[in-house]
Amino acid sequence: MLDADVITRTRIDEAELAEEPLLIADGLTKWYGRQLGCRDVSFELYAGEVLAVVGESGSGKSTLLQLLAGQLAMSSGRVLYRMRDGATRDLAILTEAERRLLFRTDWGFVQQDATLGLRMGVSAGGNVGERLMAVGWRHYGQIRHEAESWLDRVEIDPERIDETPRSFSGGMRQRLQIARNLVTAPRLVLMDEPTGGLDVSVQARLLDLLRRLVQDLGLAAIVVTHDLAVARLLSQRIMVMKGGRVIEQGLTDQVLDDPQQPYTQLLVSSVVPV
Ligand SMILES: Nc1ncnc2c1ncn2[C@@H]1O[C@H](COP(=O)(O)OP(=O)(O)OP(=O)(O)O)[C@@H](O)[C@H]1O
Ligand SMILES: [Mg+2]
């Protein structure tokens, strides 16, 4: 199922590097016993690019994210990632230590349920600082200072740095999760319904914040959403899933303005509630 020869450790010059995909998903398939999670999902993501994954409930969106993040064992397929040193590696053959470092530093994962993405018993500052320590920061004062500046950046009053997220609102928790994930300057962030479950006004602000951060940091992101407006606002490319398969993908504006598949046409005309 997985070839050892997929690892390309060839050194290439910068210009060439910029044209290589950051992430390649190749035939990702997940069966939960006899229940299909997703099947044969393939795409490429380039540095700085935002891909939206849309589709109805149960279409396989979260399964796909979990496969990418190594949180679920895949039935078949492979994920290739261009590491910071320029080498594209098959994630399946990283050592456990390499994988952990990658997911803690170069990747972020913003969970739909912030209580799963945060350490609820740890202070806001600790939630952010922990990721810095994972990349080698040791100086307490510097960590605290950086955490404060990130709280400020995601519009949380830095004075609340010693409170745990339990005393935060849903929107604040989501923003704290974003700070925790972005503080290590990851190159890729996976987000599962980042604005789900929030008031419409809170959603709009969070979305605006996300859009600015993604732009400022030049992040690549994969954003699962059932809100086409979120996809329109954040992404350059979109992938439409149904029944575990990708049924249409392309540039977001093109797909949303001129959907080819009947299902996508229904989605766009809002006949189907997603
Ligand atoms: N742990 C599991 N065991 C068995 N089946 C599962 C499991 N997790 C997901 N599935 C099934 O896999 C399919 C895809 O589910 P998934 O959670 O990926 O959908 P989704 O697109 O994220 O849906 P939603 O929008 O509701 O979050 C569904 O049929 C679901 O029932
Ligand atoms: Mg889901």
Side-chain angles (χ1 to χ4, degrees):
M1 160 174 88
L2 296 166
D3 302 326
D5 65 359
V6 295
I7 336 157
T8 47
R9 282 174 164 286
T10 355
R11 289 236 155 241
I12 25 191
D13 62 53
E14 288 293 318
E16 225 176 313
L17 259 183
E19 289 163 20
E20 285 236 331
L22 182 64
L23 181 83
I24 301 171
D26 179 18
L28 303 189
T29 300
K30 173 67 185 179
W31 289 95
Y32 298 98
R34 295 167 72 180
Q35 172 63 49
L36 179 64
C38 64
R39 184 163 201 173
D40 238 346
V41 178
S42 299
F43 63 90
E44 290 178 350
L45 184 74
Y46 287 81
E49 199 175 43
V50 179
L51 171 70
V53 182
V54 302
E56 65 198 353
S57 182
S59 58
K61 307 180 299 293
S62 296
T63 300
L64 172 63
L65 276 201
Q66 285 171 279
L67 291 182
L68 292 169
Q71 294 180 353
L72 261 184
M74 55 186 100
S75 306
S76 61
R78 56 186 191 172
V79 179
L80 306 182
Y81 184 67
R82 180 156 55 75
M83 311 290 275
R84 281 185 193 252
D85 67 1
T88 296
R89 313 242 343 240
D90 183 335
L91 295 189
I93 53 144
L94 294 186
T95 66
E96 194 47 42
E98 283 175 321
R99 189 199 318 273
R100 244 188 290 141
L101 186 68
L102 181 72
F103 291 148
R104 267 203 223 147
T105 59
D106 216 26
W107 289 36
F109 194 159
V110 176
Q111 308 260 1
Q112 174 169 9
D113 179 354
T115 63
L116 298 177
L118 291 170
R119 298 229 288 151
M120 296 304 285
V122 171
S123 69
N127 265 287
V128 178
E130 196 173 57
R131 292 264 296 192
L132 287 172
M133 295 200 293
V135 289
W137 287 48
R138 288 290 170 264
H139 188 280
Y140 176 78
Q142 282 168 0
I143 292 173
R144 192 172 170 89
H145 184 260
E146 185 70 8
E148 275 170 351
S149 101
W150 266 94
L151 291 182
D152 191 39
R153 207 159 168 182
V154 297
E155 299 165 9
I156 295 174
D157 181 356
E159 302 236 316
R160 302 188 68 170
I161 188 168
D162 295 317
E163 288 179 36
T164 69
R166 289 209 181 94
S167 65
F168 286 2
S169 69
M172 285 169 75
R173 287 177 185 177
Q174 207 52 311
R175 294 199 301 275
L176 179 61
Q177 210 195 166
I178 288 164
R180 173 177 163 89
N181 275 278
L182 298 191
V183 68
T184 55
R187 293 190 301 158
L188 173 64
V189 181
L190 311 181
M191 300 189 231
D192 199 346
E193 301 277 8
T195 59
L198 301 172
D199 288 355
V200 175
S201 64
V202 179
Q203 273 187 23
R205 269 184 73 186
L206 182 62
L207 205 56
D208 188 48
L209 173 72
L210 267 179
R211 187 167 58 157
R212 272 185 284 125
L213 287 172
V214 165
Q215 266 169 9
D216 293 352
L217 303 171
L219 279 177
I222 300 176
V223 183
V224 163
T225 179
H226 60 244
D227 187 341
L228 295 183
V230 171
R232 175 87 83 174
L233 205 63
L234 286 180
S235 72
Q236 291 88 47
R237 285 200 300 128
I238 193 168
M239 202 158 81
V240 183
M241 294 185 70
K242 185 171 194 290
R245 292 171 181 271
V246 175
I247 57 157
E248 184 159 4
Q249 60 178 316
L251 294 174
T252 304
D253 289 342
Q254 274 177 18
V255 170
L256 295 184
D257 291 342
D258 184 22
Q260 299 299 305
Q261 295 296 320
Y263 175 71
T264 316
Q265 290 165 356
L266 286 176
L267 272 188
V268 170
S269 65
S270 299
V271 175
V272 172
V274 273

